[in-house]
Amino acid sequence: MPSTSSSTAPATSSSTQTSTPSQTSTSGAVDPSVSTLTATPGSTSVTLSWCCATTPARTYTIRRDDGTGTPTPSSGTLVYEGDALGVVDQGLELWKQYRYVLWAADGAGGYLAPKMIVTSTRLPVVTGLQASAASATSAKVTWDAPTDPSVAAVVITRTDARNVARDIYTGTAAEVTDTGLVPGMAYTYTAHPKDASGRYGQISGFVRLTAQRTWMTSTVSPFVGWPGALACATATWCMQVNNDGTYQVMSGTSWSKPVAAFAGTGHPGIALSVVTSLTCPAAGRCSAIRSGRIVEFDNGWRSTGSPSSGWTSIDCPTTTYCLAIRVDGWSTARVGTSWTTPARIGTLKGVSWSDVACQAAARCFAVAGGNATSSNWRGTLTGSGWSTAYLGGSQQGHLARISCSATTCLGLGHRTRVTVSGTTWSISAQPSLDPSEDYTNDLSCGAPSLCVALNYGNVSRWSSTGLLERTRLSAGIGEIAGVSCPRTGGVCFVADDRGRLYRWTSTTRWVQVATTVQTTGGTGRIGCRDAASCFFVDLNGWMVAWNGSAWTRSAKYFTHPAMVECAGSGFCIAVDPTGRVHRVWSNGSWGASRTMPLAPVDLSCSGPTLCLAVDVDGRASRFDGAGWSTPVAALADPYAGGPRVSCAVGGPCMLVSSQGTYRRYVGASLTATVRFPSAVAAQNRLVSCGAPSSCISVTYDGSWAQWDGATWTPHPADAGSGWFGSLTCLTASHCVATHQFSNDWQVTVWNSGQWGFGGTYAPNEVPSAAECPTMEACFVAGGTTVSRSS
């Protein structure tokens, strides 16, 4: 039969539903050899394919109609006649239904049983849909641009995790950047084609994307200086080793500039000193222990080649003799330039040797404590070797440090005093004036009547007969790093970790005589006016500012660490809790230092005229733009170090305690104290308000509650909501939390009731609260680093 179809191009396509009319061939035969008929509709065409007639070769007739009546090989519109297995029927009407029927010739003038399929023309599905993060708050969505002229536009729809759908694009392009996303929230994108009349075609497949902040971490405030060890050979020569790995020498009355010698130890308040057990028998000659090995100074620091390692205490009474011990009871001596083979300190077992000191070469004394009991033990080295003996039990305290002048020694610890005259030991219990601070950490004796000990924050002066005085040096400003009394007599020195040197003489007593090194470094709580203007105060009181591209240390505005809080683009306040002072940023600069009436443990500002500070005693004071109000009792929380406070933009403020109570500061006064609902865990320590009627409070174990302006609604612990150290709510529906350990390098986000992953940052210490001037830009400080998101 000749072909009369509208198109004879064979095609393959996806299958659709098929049906077979109940009809037999004119020859009376039923042949199942035509097994399939498929139709793939387009906007103005339908692609048909079928399979398969067996031999002998057959011809096919396919006709189209409107689907009414019983089809016949001669009724309807002839689409194709011939021996091909496919055809494209063109010139059709969009959105119209068509029926197609296929007959195969039976070779005897009739037809086999026909195949039938019904389909409708439609717009083609949009293909190639993809989505990728462009930033923390935007995504790039791409697709293949349709070539069918019936498609007037492509509509891209975004659906968020709350099942809220929004069309983000309608047009003829092939990509769009979707903005206004919330970091940490999952989104689904779909695509629809649309014709000129506004009728939609079939939806595409979907793609998912979770918006995330990308964190970049930089070291912005490295530690510089921070003395960790001090030893003075004379009244005019001292060696100081700083925890950043540098050393300095006082020769005469001035100090040298820091010289790099060792690797730093990180946070000076947490890490051990770069060197320990520093001893200087003469000007220009020192020895110390560095990571368990003995190093010496003589025009520079170098290794001594001492045997073994693990040494913990060393003393050199002369430049030609040193003695070192280990905790496990081994000792070695340097005589001249050679070290002796390590030898045991007697035969004692079950004791830990803590310190050693020498009156002279080969006349040295070591102290130890029992590992299983609080007993005290002694070791004496003379020309005949070591001898050991029991000193006393726990009722006489705990011995920790010993130091010797030329003829005597003094030993101290907790509630105990030991004296050595010649080689004769005596021990006596010492009454404790302050058990929480009465423990000797460092000790130096220049003469029998002049010894100085470090007891946490106290500096105590001793003679061989007893305590002479206690002095609080660097109180609240720094920590004492080392004490030293040279054997030249009559003078002692103390260095603190902020680079200040104090000297004692019988006429002046304690006087600060020099600043050995300008200490800087460490990060504090960050406050931001906007994404290009942020501030923090380092651990030594220096202001560090962000200008949008770099952090720069500026002026030393405080003597202690301080926290910065900003509210809007024109106001920031920096508060030094220890010094009880504050400064205000306005008109482009920081104002003068002014006093405040309490030492805040937490601070929050809703604007330039409302900042609320709370102290460890639960008192609150308001900054109204001009000054601080008289503190009033607000919310007691003695077990948690004071309550926590958060002020929404424009107010009010919320105060919570770990005792299960809360108050609000509304207008200019505090509301009554109210208990959380019984279903809310009592330990509500963290709180942040993203809006006047929306606050989140989280407990240590992860249970949390939400404030809606009238009441708190409890929620059970979530897998991602526990162990937080800080919580910052940017809006009523989005919060950022950091964990309270330095090895938890993940940000957690809260989005409308769901906790999720918020990206990875890398502070080198416990992170501070996140500061987010915009949804996209957040800052997290920790140790010496700041992590910034984008």
Side-chain angles (χ1 to χ4, degrees):
M1 298 180 183
S3 173
T4 59
S5 64
S6 59
S7 174
T8 58
T12 59
S13 65
S14 58
S15 61
T16 63
Q17 289 186 344
T18 62
S19 60
T20 304
S22 177
Q23 180 179 351
T24 59
S25 68
T26 56
S27 64
V30 177
D31 189 343
S33 58
V34 181
S35 57
T36 62
L37 173 63
T38 62
T40 302
S43 59
T44 57
S45 65
V46 174
T47 300
L48 300 158
S49 62
W50 54 87
C51 195
C52 296
T54 57
T55 57
R58 303 192 186 275
T59 58
Y60 303 95
T61 298
I62 188 164
R63 289 186 177 273
R64 166 185 17 102
D65 58 35
D66 60 4
T68 61
T70 301
T72 68
S74 59
S75 63
T77 301
L78 181 64
V79 174
Y80 175 73
E81 195 170 41
D83 57 5
L85 298 179
V87 67
V88 178
D89 187 18
Q90 298 179 335
L92 305 180
E93 184 180 343
L94 180 61
W95 307 120
K96 187 172 183 179
Q97 179 176 289
Y98 297 96
R99 178 174 65 180
Y100 293 90
V101 184
L102 172 69
W103 284 268
D106 63 2
Y111 297 94
L112 303 178
K115 292 288 183 180
M116 183 179 71
I117 191 169
V118 177
T119 190
S120 298
T121 54
R122 66 193 69 170
L123 294 178
V125 174
V126 179
T127 60
L129 183 65
Q130 295 182 356
S132 59
S135 73
T137 58
S138 63
K140 183 178 181 180
V141 185
T142 61
W143 58 93
D144 297 334
T147 58
D148 193 308
S150 298
V151 177
V154 171
V155 179
I156 305 298
T157 303
R158 178 190 74 202
T159 305
D160 64 22
R162 296 163 294 186
N163 207 33
V164 176
R166 174 174 174 261
D167 292 343
I168 63 167
Y169 176 79
T170 300
T172 58
E175 67 175 51
V176 65
T177 298
D178 184 23
T179 60
L181 307 185
V182 178
M185 182 171 284
Y187 296 92
T188 300
Y189 293 93
T190 56
H192 288 83
K194 187 170 73 170
D195 67 10
S197 67
R199 187 169 180 178
Y200 284 87
Q202 183 178 348
I203 191 173
S204 68
F206 62 85
V207 292
R208 287 195 177 99
L209 176 140
T210 299
Q212 292 286 11
R213 295 180 177 91
T214 300
W215 295 89
M216 299 169 290
T217 300
S218 302
T219 299
V220 301
S221 189
F223 294 113
V224 175
W226 298 90
L230 174 73
C232 298
T234 70
T236 58
W237 196 96
C238 296
M239 165 65 69
Q240 176 176 286
V241 181
N242 304 317
N243 284 336
D244 62 355
T246 62
Y247 71 90
Q248 295 172 269
V249 171
M250 181 185 75
S251 181
T253 58
S254 62
W255 284 85
S256 66
K257 292 182 179 180
V259 179
F262 309 101
T265 60
H267 195 302
I270 297 176
L272 295 175
S273 297
V274 169
V275 299
T276 57
S277 198
L278 177 64
T279 176
C280 297
R285 298 292 299 276
C286 301
S287 294
I289 293 173
R290 165 71 174 162
S291 301
R293 295 188 177 275
I294 301 171
V295 293
E296 65 179 2
F297 178 83
D298 186 1
N299 294 320
W301 284 97
R302 59 177 176 269
S303 173
T304 65
S306 58
S308 188
S309 62
W311 305 108
T312 54
S313 180
I314 187 173
D315 192 32
C316 302
T318 70
T319 58
T320 58
Y321 184 87
C322 294
L323 183 73
I325 66 168
R326 297 194 331 190
V327 172
D328 58 3
W330 290 88
S331 68
T332 183
R334 189 189 69 186
V335 182
T337 58
S338 301
W339 289 92
T340 61
T341 301
R344 293 285 304 177
I345 305 175
T347 59
L348 293 177
K349 296 181 179 179
V351 301
S352 295
W353 295 91
S354 58
D355 203 10
V356 67
C358 300
Q359 295 173 354
R363 191 166 74 246
C364 302
F365 309 89
V367 294
N371 293 337
T373 63
S374 298
S375 53
N376 298 290
W377 300 82
R378 64 177 173 85
T380 302
L381 176 67
T382 62
S384 57
W386 282 101
S387 62
T388 57
Y390 176 72
L391 266 177
S394 60
Q395 71 276 10
Q396 293 175 300
H398 174 70
L399 190 59
R401 293 288 180 263
I402 189 168
S403 181
C404 297
S405 61
T407 57
T408 64
C409 304
L410 176 68
L412 297 172
H414 179 54
R415 297 186 300 104
T416 189
R417 176 173 61 91
V418 163
T419 59
V420 183
S421 179
T423 58
T424 302
W425 292 76
S426 65
I427 186 171
S428 61
Q430 190 73 23
S432 178
L433 300 181
D434 186 349
S436 67
E437 293 190 353
D438 187 21
Y439 189 96
T440 299
N441 307 101
D442 196 10
L443 177 64
S444 180
C445 291
S449 61
L450 184 55
C451 297
V452 170
L454 165 60
N455 301 81
Y456 292 109
N458 290 318
V459 174
S460 55
R461 187 167 58 88
W462 296 75
S463 72
S464 59
T465 58
L467 176 65
L468 299 176
E469 67 174 349
R470 288 177 183 267
T471 306
R472 191 77 171 173
L473 295 176
S474 299
I477 301 175
E479 297 294 333
I480 302 302
V483 300
S484 184
C485 300
R487 289 190 178 183
T488 53
V491 64
C492 289
F493 295 93
V494 167
D496 71 9
D497 64 354
R498 304 304 174 92
R500 290 177 286 261
L501 185 73
Y502 301 85
R503 180 177 61 201
W504 183 92
T505 68
S506 59
T507 56
T508 64
R509 294 299 193 257
W510 288 110
V511 176
Q512 181 181 335
V513 293
T515 298
T516 63
V517 60
Q518 186 62 68
T519 57
T520 63
T523 57
R525 178 166 143 183
I526 296 175
C528 293
R529 297 170 48 243
D530 52 48
S533 178
C534 302
F535 307 94
F536 70 81
V537 177
D538 78 3
L539 298 192
N540 201 39
W542 290 85
M543 184 67 69
V544 184
W546 168 257
N547 63 7
S549 60
W551 290 94
T552 304
R553 178 167 61 87
S554 55
K556 192 176 189 305
Y557 285 133
F558 302 98
T559 56
H560 316 89
M563 47 185 160
V564 181
E565 177 83 353
C566 297
S569 61
F571 171 80
C572 294
I573 189 168
V575 172
D576 170 0
T578 305
R580 295 192 179 187
V581 295
H582 75 279
R583 291 175 182 263
V584 172
W585 188 97
S586 63
N587 298 320
S589 63
W590 288 95
S593 177
R594 300 185 183 278
T595 60
M596 59 186 304
L598 49 65
V601 294
D602 202 9
L603 168 73
S604 185
C605 296
S606 71
T609 60
L610 175 54
C611 293
L612 205 62
V614 292
D615 67 6
V616 68
D617 296 320
R619 300 182 305 160
S621 176
R622 172 182 175 165
F623 179 79
D624 62 3
W628 293 91
S629 65
T630 301
V632 297
L635 200 62
D637 196 357
Y639 304 112
R644 294 297 178 264
V645 60
S646 179
C647 299
V649 175
C653 303
M654 177 71 72
L655 294 86
V656 302
S657 80
S658 62
Q659 295 179 302
T661 58
Y662 71 93
R663 294 184 81 172
R664 301 172 69 213
Y665 188 86
V666 182
S669 61
L670 287 161
T671 62
T673 300
V674 183
R675 295 202 65 82
F676 278 89
S678 58
V680 179
Q683 296 80 17
N684 278 276
R685 280 292 312 283
L686 298 178
V687 64
S688 186
C689 299
S693 60
S694 178
C695 302
I696 301 295
S697 184
V698 186
T699 67
Y700 182 78
D701 66 359
S703 59
W704 57 283
Q706 186 172 7
W707 171 261
D708 62 3
T711 187
W712 287 96
T713 301
H715 296 271
D718 185 277
S721 62
W723 306 83
F724 292 152
S726 74
L727 178 68
T728 304
C729 291
L730 285 67
T731 67
S733 59
H734 182 70
C735 305
V736 179
T738 62
H739 293 277
Q740 59 181 328
F741 305 110
S742 59
N743 61 345
D744 283 319
W745 292 354
Q746 292 185 351
V747 171
T748 299
V749 295
W750 179 85
N751 286 317
S752 300
Q754 296 183 351
W755 295 94
F757 176 68
T760 300
Y761 58 91
N764 56 2
E765 291 295 343
V766 177
S768 64
E771 172 71 358
C772 304
T774 68
M775 188 70 73
E776 185 175 77
C778 287
F779 298 82
V780 174
T784 62
T785 65
V786 172
S787 297
R788 177 172 56 92
S789 72
S790 60

